[in-house]
Amino acid sequence: MTRYAKILGTGSYLPENRVTNDDLSKTLDTSDEWIYSRTGIKARHLASVEQNTSDLAVIAAQRALETSGVTCDEIDLIVLATSTPDVIFPSTACIVQEKLGMNGFAAFDVQAVCAGFMYALVTANAYISSGLAKKALVIGADTFSHIMDWTDRSTCVLFGDGAGAVVLGQSDEPGIIHAKLAADGRYQHLLNTPGQVVHGEVVGRPFLQMNGQGVFKFAVKALAKIAEDVLNESGFKQEQIDWLVPHQANVRIIESTAKHLGLSMDKVIVTLDEQGNTSAASVPLALDFGVKSGQIKPGQHLMLEGIGGGFAWGAALVKY
Ligand code: ACO
């Protein structure tokens, strides 16, 4: 019998500290008008220096467990997407496992920057549909505020911190209907954080850097193509999609993907106005927002998609 993986529950967490565009303009040569008109962002939530990615991830995971009605002892896999791990090692997934009072099963991180949750979801889907796991916590969590150059107005205004999670479980009917991942390392220069630790010293710039227009052009094309591929390969039609749940980087990138899929913006979950770009957390945060606000209902078809540094990107057609 073919096993499928289905989303059993969602959860998310945003740090308490909400910082508006006007707040940023007090210390930075920027304005609400510039940021909002170019990106659609009005505010973001920022973790404190002491708050690590695992702290955010644990709360999102607890909330996803609660809404799914699944208990900790039923979980037999954690896949956590982040590019801001607490430490070089152990993995943030192992730290989250320990903080949740669990042990003994596979827990690991995947690193695909803003496409991280798509990579984590597809990986957990493969474990569950092959019978290697029965119930998985799939988490996207990032604290990009920790790798921002807060004097660089061209990057720091775009990002926020947060975590989102889903519980994925076995099902006789498709939940994850079809998904596709892609990467192209030739474009790593467009978006990266090149610093590394060598012999105890930070070598290279440890802050996020980006070619904004290059990212924009790449993202628009790649997302349109991969969503179209997922539809074609699954035999689904555009009109069967109830909701687009996109990575939240820039409202103009989201509008372009929606247009390509023939969806009006009232079929798109948008959270970036209040959250900014939360990298790997962005898709599960948007999913949880869509579910908790009553917009996304059981049985509906969702197109999830994400893209980020690497370049890495992915899309998944999901029956919620
Ligand atoms: N406030 C005020 N002025 C600013 C700011 C700011 N925060 N940032 C840059 N500027 C200035 C620049 O210095 C420049 O000034 P100049 O003309 O005097 O040199 C001017 O604004 C225009 O700069 P551009 O970089 O050309 O602005 P652009 O219209 O391309 O918008 C933006 C920049 C919003 C970053 C856009 O390129 C974009 O959204 N790109 C996509 C990037 C993205 O989403 N990245 C997220 C990470 S990747 C991902 O998640 C997919």
Side-chain angles (χ1 to χ4, degrees), residues 75-151:
I75 295 294
D76 56 3
L77 174 69
I78 296 177
V79 187
L80 186 146
T82 191
S83 37
T84 46
D86 289 17
V87 289
I88 294 174
F89 70 80
S91 71
T92 305
C94 284
I95 296 171
V96 166
Q97 189 195 45
E98 190 271 332
K99 284 184 176 173
L100 287 171
M102 304 168 167
N103 58 66
F105 55 82
F108 57 92
D109 289 1
V110 297
Q111 213 262 42
V113 199
C114 303
F117 184 76
M118 301 312 303
Y119 272 68
L121 188 71
V122 170
T123 305
N125 179 44
Y127 269 72
I128 287 177
S129 54
S130 67
L132 273 174
K134 288 194 174 67
K135 287 196 173 72
L137 264 174
V138 187
I139 307 169
D142 265 311
T143 44
F144 264 41
S145 65
H146 293 179
I147 55 163
M148 284 298 133
D149 174 353
W150 284 100
T151 63

Coordinates of all heavy atoms in Angstrom, one line a residue, residues 75-151:
I75 N 6.4 11.1 18.2 CA 7.3 11.7 17.2 C 8.5 10.8 17.0 O 9.1 10.3 18.0 CB 7.7 13.1 17.6 CG1 6.5 14.0 17.6 CG2 8.8 13.6 16.7 CD1 5.8 14.3 16.3
D76 N 8.8 10.4 15.8 CA 10.0 9.6 15.5 C 11.0 10.2 14.5 O 11.8 9.5 13.9 CB 9.6 8.2 15.2 CG 8.7 8.1 14.0 OD1 8.4 9.1 13.4 OD2 8.3 6.9 13.6
L77 N 10.8 11.5 14.2 CA 11.7 12.2 13.3 C 11.6 13.7 13.5 O 10.5 14.3 13.6 CB 11.4 11.9 11.9 CG 12.1 12.6 10.8 CD1 13.6 12.2 10.7 CD2 11.5 12.4 9.4
I78 N 12.7 14.4 13.6 CA 12.7 15.9 13.5 C 13.6 16.4 12.4 O 14.8 16.0 12.3 CB 13.2 16.6 14.8 CG1 12.3 16.2 16.0 CG2 13.3 18.1 14.7 CD1 12.8 16.8 17.4
V79 N 13.0 17.1 11.4 CA 13.8 17.7 10.4 C 13.6 19.2 10.6 O 12.5 19.7 10.5 CB 13.4 17.3 9.0 CG1 14.3 17.9 7.9 CG2 13.3 15.8 8.8
L80 N 14.7 19.9 10.8 CA 14.7 21.4 11.1 C 15.5 22.1 10.1 O 16.6 21.8 9.8 CB 15.2 21.6 12.5 CG 15.1 23.1 13.0 CD1 14.8 23.1 14.5 CD2 16.3 23.9 12.7
A81 N 14.8 23.1 9.4 CA 15.5 23.9 8.4 C 15.9 25.2 9.1 O 15.1 25.9 9.7 CB 14.5 24.2 7.3
T82 N 17.2 25.5 9.0 CA 17.7 26.8 9.4 C 19.0 27.1 8.8 O 19.8 26.2 8.4 CB 17.9 26.8 11.0 OG1 18.1 28.2 11.4 CG2 19.0 25.9 11.5
S83 N 19.4 28.4 8.6 CA 20.7 28.8 8.3 C 21.3 29.7 9.3 O 22.3 30.3 9.1 CB 20.8 29.4 6.9 OG 19.7 30.2 6.6
T84 N 20.6 29.8 10.5 CA 21.1 30.4 11.7 C 21.1 29.5 12.8 O 20.3 29.7 13.8 CB 20.4 31.7 12.0 OG1 18.9 31.5 11.9 CG2 20.7 32.8 11.0
P85 N 21.9 28.4 12.8 CA 21.8 27.4 13.9 C 22.3 28.0 15.2 O 23.1 29.0 15.1 CB 22.8 26.3 13.4 CG 23.7 27.0 12.4 CD 22.9 28.1 11.8
D86 N 22.0 27.4 16.3 CA 22.4 28.0 17.6 C 23.9 28.0 17.7 O 24.5 29.0 18.1 CB 21.9 27.1 18.8 CG 20.4 27.2 19.0 OD1 19.7 27.7 18.1 OD2 20.0 26.7 20.1
V87 N 24.6 26.9 17.2 CA 26.0 26.8 17.3 C 26.4 26.0 16.0 O 25.6 25.5 15.3 CB 26.4 26.0 18.6 CG1 26.2 26.8 19.8 CG2 25.7 24.6 18.7
I88 N 27.7 25.9 15.8 CA 28.2 25.1 14.6 C 27.7 23.7 14.7 O 27.2 23.2 13.8 CB 29.7 25.2 14.5 CG1 30.1 26.7 14.2 CG2 30.2 24.3 13.4 CD1 31.6 26.9 14.2
F89 N 27.9 23.0 15.8 CA 27.2 21.8 16.1 C 27.1 21.6 17.6 O 27.9 22.3 18.3 CB 27.9 20.6 15.4 CG 29.3 20.1 15.9 CD1 29.4 19.4 17.1 CD2 30.4 20.5 15.3 CE1 30.6 19.0 17.6 CE2 31.7 20.1 15.7 CZ 31.8 19.3 16.9
P90 N 26.2 20.9 18.1 CA 25.3 19.9 17.5 C 24.2 20.7 16.6 O 24.1 21.9 16.7 CB 24.6 19.2 18.6 CG 24.7 20.2 19.7 CD 26.0 20.9 19.6
S91 N 23.5 19.9 15.8 CA 22.4 20.5 15.0 C 21.4 21.1 15.9 O 21.2 20.7 17.1 CB 21.8 19.4 14.1 OG 21.0 18.6 14.9
T92 N 20.7 22.1 15.4 CA 19.6 22.8 16.1 C 18.5 21.8 16.4 O 17.8 21.8 17.4 CB 19.1 24.0 15.4 OG1 20.3 24.9 15.2 CG2 18.1 24.8 16.2
A93 N 18.3 20.8 15.4 CA 17.3 19.8 15.6 C 17.5 18.9 16.8 O 16.6 18.6 17.6 CB 17.3 18.9 14.4
C94 N 18.8 18.6 17.1 CA 19.1 17.8 18.3 C 18.9 18.7 19.6 O 18.4 18.1 20.6 CB 20.6 17.4 18.3 SG 20.9 16.0 17.2
I95 N 19.2 20.0 19.5 CA 18.9 20.8 20.7 C 17.4 20.9 20.9 O 17.0 20.8 22.1 CB 19.6 22.2 20.4 CG1 21.1 22.1 20.3 CG2 19.2 23.2 21.5 CD1 21.8 23.4 19.8
V96 N 16.7 21.0 19.9 CA 15.2 21.1 20.0 C 14.7 19.8 20.6 O 13.8 19.8 21.5 CB 14.5 21.4 18.6 CG1 13.0 21.2 18.7 CG2 14.8 22.9 18.2
Q97 N 15.2 18.7 20.1 CA 14.8 17.4 20.5 C 15.0 17.3 22.1 O 14.1 16.9 22.8 CB 15.6 16.3 19.8 CG 15.1 14.9 20.1 CD 16.1 13.8 19.7 OE1 17.3 14.0 20.0 NE2 15.7 12.8 19.0
E98 N 16.2 17.7 22.5 CA 16.5 17.7 24.0 C 15.5 18.6 24.7 O 15.0 18.2 25.8 CB 17.9 18.0 24.1 CG 18.5 17.8 25.5 CD 18.3 19.0 26.5 OE1 18.3 20.1 26.0 OE2 18.2 18.7 27.7
K99 N 15.3 19.8 24.2 CA 14.5 20.8 24.9 C 13.0 20.3 25.0 O 12.3 20.7 25.9 CB 14.5 22.2 24.2 CG 15.8 22.9 24.5 CD 15.8 24.3 23.9 CE 17.1 25.1 24.3 NZ 17.2 26.3 23.6
L100 N 12.6 19.5 24.1 CA 11.2 19.0 24.1 C 11.1 17.7 24.9 O 10.1 17.1 25.0 CB 10.7 18.7 22.7 CG 10.4 19.9 21.8 CD1 10.1 19.5 20.4 CD2 9.2 20.7 22.4
G101 N 12.3 17.3 25.5 CA 12.3 16.1 26.4 C 12.2 14.8 25.6 O 11.7 13.8 26.1
M102 N 12.6 14.8 24.3 CA 12.6 13.6 23.5 C 14.0 13.1 23.3 O 15.0 13.8 23.5 CB 12.0 14.0 22.1 CG 10.7 14.6 22.1 SD 10.4 15.2 20.4 CE 8.7 15.6 20.5
N103 N 14.1 11.9 22.9 CA 15.4 11.3 22.4 C 15.3 10.0 21.7 O 14.2 9.4 21.7 CB 16.3 11.1 23.7 CG 15.7 10.1 24.7 OD1 15.6 9.0 24.4 ND2 15.4 10.7 25.8
G104 N 16.3 9.6 21.1 CA 16.4 8.2 20.5 C 16.0 8.0 19.1 O 16.2 7.0 18.5
F105 N 15.5 9.1 18.4 CA 15.2 9.0 17.0 C 15.9 10.0 16.2 O 16.6 10.9 16.7 CB 13.7 9.1 16.8 CG 13.1 10.4 17.4 CD1 13.2 11.6 16.6 CD2 12.5 10.4 18.6 CE1 12.7 12.8 17.1 CE2 12.0 11.6 19.1 CZ 12.1 12.8 18.4
A106 N 15.9 9.9 14.9 CA 16.6 10.8 14.0 C 16.2 12.2 14.1 O 15.0 12.5 14.1 CB 16.5 10.3 12.5
A107 N 17.2 13.1 14.2 CA 16.9 14.5 14.3 C 18.1 15.2 13.6 O 19.2 15.0 13.9 CB 16.8 15.0 15.7
F108 N 17.8 16.0 12.6 CA 18.9 16.7 11.8 C 18.4 18.0 11.2 O 17.2 18.2 11.0 CB 19.5 15.7 10.8 CG 18.5 15.2 9.8 CD1 18.3 15.9 8.6 CD2 17.8 14.0 10.0 CE1 17.4 15.4 7.6 CE2 16.9 13.5 9.1 CZ 16.7 14.2 7.9
D109 N 19.4 18.8 10.9 CA 19.1 20.1 10.2 C 19.2 20.0 8.7 O 20.0 19.2 8.2 CB 20.1 21.2 10.6 CG 19.9 21.6 12.1 OD1 19.0 21.1 12.7 OD2 20.7 22.5 12.5
V110 N 18.4 20.8 8.0 CA 18.7 21.0 6.5 C 19.0 22.5 6.3 O 18.4 23.3 7.0 CB 17.6 20.5 5.6 CG1 17.4 19.0 5.7 CG2 16.3 21.2 5.8
Q111 N 19.9 22.8 5.4 CA 20.3 24.2 5.2 C 20.0 24.5 3.8 O 20.8 24.1 2.9 CB 21.7 24.3 5.6 CG 22.1 25.6 6.2 CD 22.7 26.6 5.1 OE1 22.2 26.6 4.0 NE2 23.7 27.3 5.5
A112 N 18.9 25.2 3.5 CA 18.6 25.7 2.1 C 18.1 27.1 2.2 O 17.2 27.5 1.4 CB 17.7 24.7 1.4
V113 N 18.6 27.8 3.2 CA 18.2 29.2 3.5 C 16.7 29.4 3.4 O 16.0 28.7 4.0 CB 19.1 30.1 2.5 CG1 19.1 31.6 3.0 CG2 20.5 29.6 2.4
C114 N 16.2 30.4 2.5 CA 14.8 30.7 2.5 C 13.9 29.5 1.9 O 12.7 29.6 2.0 CB 14.5 32.0 1.8 SG 15.4 33.4 2.6
A115 N 14.6 28.6 1.2 CA 13.9 27.4 0.7 C 13.9 26.3 1.7 O 13.5 25.1 1.4 CB 14.5 27.0 -0.6
G116 N 14.5 26.5 2.9 CA 14.8 25.4 3.9 C 13.5 24.6 4.2 O 13.6 23.4 4.3
F117 N 12.4 25.3 4.5 CA 11.2 24.5 4.9 C 10.8 23.6 3.8 O 10.3 22.5 4.0 CB 10.1 25.5 5.3 CG 8.9 24.7 5.8 CD1 8.9 24.1 7.1 CD2 7.8 24.5 5.1 CE1 7.9 23.4 7.6 CE2 6.7 23.8 5.5 CZ 6.7 23.2 6.8
M118 N 10.9 24.0 2.5 CA 10.5 23.2 1.4 C 11.4 21.9 1.4 O 10.9 20.8 1.2 CB 10.6 23.9 0.1 CG 9.8 25.2 0.0 SD 8.1 25.0 0.5 CE 7.5 23.7 -0.6
Y119 N 12.7 22.1 1.6 CA 13.6 21.0 1.7 C 13.3 20.1 2.8 O 13.3 18.8 2.7 CB 15.1 21.5 1.7 CG 15.7 21.7 0.4 CD1 15.3 22.7 -0.4 CD2 16.7 20.9 -0.1 CE1 15.8 23.0 -1.7 CE2 17.3 21.1 -1.3 CZ 16.9 22.1 -2.1 OH 17.4 22.3 -3.4
A120 N 13.0 20.6 4.0 CA 12.7 19.8 5.2 C 11.4 19.0 5.0 O 11.3 17.9 5.3 CB 12.5 20.7 6.4
L121 N 10.4 19.7 4.4 CA 9.1 19.0 4.2 C 9.2 17.9 3.2 O 8.7 16.8 3.4 CB 8.1 20.1 3.6 CG 6.6 19.6 3.5 CD1 6.0 19.5 4.9 CD2 5.8 20.6 2.6
V122 N 10.0 18.1 2.1 CA 10.2 17.0 1.1 C 11.0 15.9 1.7 O 10.7 14.7 1.5 CB 10.8 17.6 -0.2 CG1 11.3 16.5 -1.1 CG2 9.9 18.6 -0.9
T123 N 11.9 16.2 2.5 CA 12.7 15.1 3.2 C 11.9 14.3 4.1 O 11.9 13.1 4.1 CB 13.9 15.8 4.0 OG1 14.7 16.6 3.1 CG2 14.8 14.7 4.6
A124 N 11.1 15.0 5.0 CA 10.2 14.3 5.9 C 9.2 13.5 5.2 O 8.8 12.4 5.6 CB 9.6 15.3 6.9
N125 N 8.7 14.0 4.1 CA 7.7 13.3 3.2 C 8.3 12.0 2.7 O 7.6 10.9 2.8 CB 7.3 14.2 2.1 CG 6.3 13.5 1.1 OD1 5.4 12.9 1.6 ND2 6.5 13.7 -0.2
A126 N 9.6 12.0 2.3 CA 10.2 10.8 1.8 C 10.4 9.8 3.0 O 10.2 8.6 2.7 CB 11.6 11.2 1.3
Y127 N 10.7 10.2 4.2 CA 10.8 9.3 5.3 C 9.5 8.6 5.6 O 9.4 7.5 5.8 CB 11.3 10.1 6.6 CG 12.8 10.1 6.7 CD1 13.6 10.9 5.9 CD2 13.4 9.4 7.7 CE1 15.0 11.0 6.1 CE2 14.8 9.4 7.9 CZ 15.5 10.2 7.1 OH 16.9 10.3 7.3
I128 N 8.4 9.5 5.6 CA 7.1 8.9 6.0 C 6.5 8.0 4.9 O 6.0 6.9 5.2 CB 6.2 10.1 6.4 CG1 6.6 10.6 7.7 CG2 4.7 9.6 6.4 CD1 5.8 11.8 8.2
S129 N 6.6 8.5 3.6 CA 6.0 7.7 2.6 C 6.8 6.4 2.4 O 6.2 5.4 1.9 CB 5.9 8.5 1.3 OG 7.1 9.0 0.9
S130 N 8.1 6.3 2.8 CA 8.8 5.1 2.6 C 8.7 4.2 3.9 O 9.2 3.1 3.9 CB 10.3 5.4 2.4 OG 10.8 6.0 3.5
G131 N 8.1 4.7 4.9 CA 7.9 3.9 6.1 C 9.0 4.0 7.1 O 9.0 3.4 8.2
L132 N 10.0 4.9 6.8 CA 11.1 5.1 7.7 C 10.7 5.9 9.0 O 11.4 5.8 10.0 CB 12.3 5.8 7.0 CG 13.3 5.0 6.2 CD1 14.2 5.9 5.5 CD2 14.0 4.1 7.1
A133 N 9.7 6.6 8.9 CA 9.2 7.3 10.1 C 7.6 7.4 10.0 O 7.0 7.2 8.9 CB 9.7 8.8 10.1
K134 N 7.0 7.6 11.2 CA 5.5 7.6 11.2 C 5.0 9.0 11.5 O 4.0 9.4 10.9 CB 5.0 6.6 12.3 CG 5.2 5.2 12.0 CD 4.4 4.3 12.9 CE 4.4 2.8 12.5 NZ 5.8 2.2 12.7
K135 N 5.6 9.7 12.4 CA 5.2 11.0 12.7 C 6.4 12.0 12.9 O 7.3 11.7 13.7 CB 4.3 11.1 14.0 CG 2.9 10.5 13.7 CD 2.0 10.8 14.9 CE 0.6 10.4 14.5 NZ 0.4 8.9 14.6
A136 N 6.4 13.0 12.1 CA 7.6 13.9 12.1 C 7.3 15.3 12.5 O 6.2 15.8 12.1 CB 8.2 13.9 10.7
L137 N 8.2 15.9 13.2 CA 8.1 17.4 13.4 C 9.0 18.0 12.3 O 10.2 17.7 12.2 CB 8.7 17.8 14.7 CG 7.7 17.9 15.9 CD1 8.5 18.2 17.2 CD2 6.8 19.1 15.7
V138 N 8.4 18.9 11.5 CA 9.1 19.6 10.4 C 9.1 21.1 10.8 O 8.0 21.6 10.9 CB 8.5 19.3 9.0 CG1 9.3 19.9 7.9 CG2 8.2 17.9 8.8
I139 N 10.3 21.6 11.0 CA 10.4 23.0 11.5 C 11.2 23.9 10.6 O 12.2 23.4 10.1 CB 11.0 22.9 12.9 CG1 10.3 21.9 13.8 CG2 11.0 24.3 13.6 CD1 11.0 21.6 15.2
G140 N 10.7 25.1 10.4 CA 11.6 26.1 9.8 C 11.8 27.2 10.8 O 10.8 27.7 11.4
A141 N 13.0 27.5 11.2 CA 13.3 28.5 12.2 C 14.5 29.3 11.9 O 15.5 28.7 11.5 CB 13.4 27.8 13.6
D142 N 14.5 30.6 12.0 CA 15.7 31.4 11.8 C 15.7 32.7 12.6 O 14.6 33.2 13.0 CB 15.7 31.8 10.3 CG 16.6 30.9 9.5 OD1 17.7 30.6 9.9 OD2 16.1 30.4 8.4
T143 N 16.9 33.1 13.0 CA 17.1 34.4 13.7 C 18.1 35.2 12.8 O 19.3 35.4 13.1 CB 17.7 34.1 15.1 OG1 18.8 33.2 15.0 CG2 16.7 33.7 16.0
F144 N 17.6 35.7 11.6 CA 18.4 36.4 10.7 C 18.9 37.7 11.3 O 19.9 38.3 10.8 CB 17.7 36.6 9.4 CG 18.1 35.6 8.3 CD1 18.2 34.3 8.7 CD2 18.3 35.9 7.0 CE1 18.6 33.3 7.8 CE2 18.7 35.0 6.1 CZ 18.8 33.7 6.4
S145 N 18.2 38.2 12.3 CA 18.6 39.5 12.9 C 20.1 39.3 13.5 O 20.8 40.3 13.6 CB 17.7 39.9 14.1 OG 17.7 39.0 15.1
H146 N 20.4 38.1 13.8 CA 21.8 37.8 14.4 C 22.9 37.9 13.3 O 24.1 38.0 13.6 CB 21.8 36.4 15.0 CG 21.0 36.3 16.3 ND1 20.9 35.2 17.0 CD2 20.2 37.3 16.9 CE1 20.0 35.4 18.0 NE2 19.6 36.6 18.0
I147 N 22.5 37.8 12.0 CA 23.5 37.9 10.9 C 23.3 39.1 10.0 O 23.8 39.1 8.9 CB 23.6 36.6 10.1 CG1 22.2 36.2 9.5 CG2 24.1 35.4 10.9 CD1 22.3 35.3 8.3
M148 N 22.6 40.1 10.6 CA 22.4 41.3 9.8 C 23.5 42.3 10.1 O 23.9 42.4 11.3 CB 21.1 42.0 10.2 CG 19.9 41.4 9.6 SD 20.0 41.5 7.8 CE 19.5 39.8 7.4
D149 N 23.9 43.1 9.1 CA 24.7 44.3 9.4 C 23.7 45.4 9.6 O 23.1 45.9 8.6 CB 25.6 44.6 8.2 CG 26.3 45.9 8.3 OD1 26.1 46.6 9.3 OD2 27.2 46.2 7.5
W150 N 23.5 45.8 10.9 CA 22.4 46.7 11.2 C 22.7 48.2 10.7 O 22.0 49.1 11.0 CB 22.0 46.7 12.7 CG 21.2 45.4 12.9 CD1 21.6 44.2 13.4 CD2 19.8 45.2 12.6 NE1 20.6 43.3 13.4 CE2 19.5 43.9 12.9 CE3 18.8 46.1 12.0 CZ2 18.2 43.4 12.7 CZ3 17.5 45.6 11.8 CH2 17.2 44.2 12.2
T151 N 23.9 48.4 10.0 CA 24.1 49.7 9.4 C 23.9 49.6 7.9 O 24.0 50.6 7.3 CB 25.6 50.1 9.7 OG1 26.5 49.2 9.0 CG2 25.9 50.2 11.2

